[in-house]
Amino acid sequence: VEFYNRVDSVNQLWGEERISGWKTDPGRIILLYGQPNEVEDNSLNPIKPYLRWTYFFADRTLTFTFQALEGRKKYQLIQEEEIPVP
């Protein structure tokens, strides 16, 4: 049930005219990990617009950075980082 709720949510939030939201980079990450624990939204920066999501787990921290494209209409995953928790 949780998975299908996420599919519905990402289709509404991240869907485009010809692409379902779950097929986008942000949609795929939300399907896998849920909503991020932290969001850094720098998508209005005219030089390097990006969106960064961080997930905290007991054994690791995951960070996903998306480049904002076409005036924040699309986001492309440009970096994934996994940091083990000591």
Side-chain angles (χ1 to χ4, degrees), residues 29-30 33-37 53-57 60-62 64:
I29 299 302
I30 289 177
Y33 302 106
Q35 293 296 324
N37 298 106
W53 291 349
T54 303
Y55 294 85
F56 300 108
F57 299 100
R60 63 193 167 147
T61 298
L62 297 175
F64 299 94

Side-chain angles (χ1 to χ4, degrees), residues 2-56:
E2 175 68 22
F3 175 78
Y4 291 109
N5 287 336
R6 287 183 188 179
V7 170
D8 289 341
S9 294
V10 298
N11 283 340
Q12 290 177 5
L13 291 172
W14 298 102
E16 302 170 16
E17 186 175 315
R18 296 183 184 154
I19 299 175
S20 297
W22 63 269
K23 291 183 179 180
T24 66
D25 287 346
R28 182 177 57 85
I29 299 302
I30 289 177
L31 282 180
L32 291 171
Y33 302 106
Q35 293 296 324
N37 298 106
E38 282 185 1
V39 175
E40 181 183 345
D41 188 349
N42 202 15
S43 58
L44 293 176
N45 182 324
I47 297 170
K48 187 178 178 185
Y50 68 89
L51 181 64
R52 182 171 293 135
W53 291 349
T54 303
Y55 294 85
F56 300 108

